[in-house]
Amino acid sequence: MQQTDHLHSKIARATTRLAQLQAQDLIAAQRKALRDRQQARRDSERRKRRLAELVIAAGAQDLPDAEVTGALAHYVRERRDHNLQQQADLSGQRLLEAMLGPPSAP
């Protein structure tokens, strides 16, 4: 009888320890998910600020929202044209260099 009590006690302690470890793993996973969501939100906010800066750099800040959106949507649709894409890229690089100076070497 004493042997079975001892085994039951060992099983109970092992079960409790397993539950504690699983709870710790769950908490760690939840914290990581929260950190990941917060990082994604910060990245999204940073990207939105950067897009706003680019609209200003292009001199489009005074255009109506619908016109800016329409122009961008039109470009995205027509972007498959390689010449148009190269022309827009080159023009954009020139505007950015005029605003920020030449890119620094990494």
Side-chain angles (χ1 to χ4, degrees):
M1 189 70 176
Q2 202 174 25
Q3 181 77 13
T4 56
D5 287 343
H6 177 69
L7 289 176
H8 284 292
S9 177
K10 254 182 130 169
I11 291 171
R13 283 193 308 273
T15 303
T16 301
R17 184 66 183 140
L18 177 62
Q20 288 172 342
L21 291 172
Q22 288 174 333
Q24 286 175 348
D25 287 347
L26 178 63
I27 289 170
Q30 288 173 338
R31 286 180 181 157
K32 183 182 181 326
L34 176 63
R35 282 192 307 271
D36 291 347
R37 284 192 308 272
Q38 289 173 334
Q39 184 62 46
R41 190 186 74 245
R42 284 190 300 270
D43 291 345
S44 176
E45 290 170 359
R46 191 175 300 122
R47 179 65 180 152
K48 288 174 185 177
R49 281 192 302 273
R50 181 65 179 149
L51 289 172
E53 291 169 358
L54 294 172
V55 167
I56 292 169
Q61 70 272 14
D62 295 328
L63 295 176
D65 293 352
E67 189 174 348
V68 172
T69 304
L72 288 170
H74 175 74
Y75 173 75
V76 169
R77 280 192 307 273
E78 301 300 321
R79 179 172 190 263
R80 286 181 225 93
D81 178 358
H82 189 65
N83 290 331
L84 177 64
Q85 188 177 359
Q86 281 184 318
Q87 187 179 22
D89 188 49
L90 185 59
S91 176
Q93 286 178 14
R94 287 182 184 150
L95 279 169
L96 289 173
E97 284 179 11
M99 185 176 88
L100 305 172
S104 58

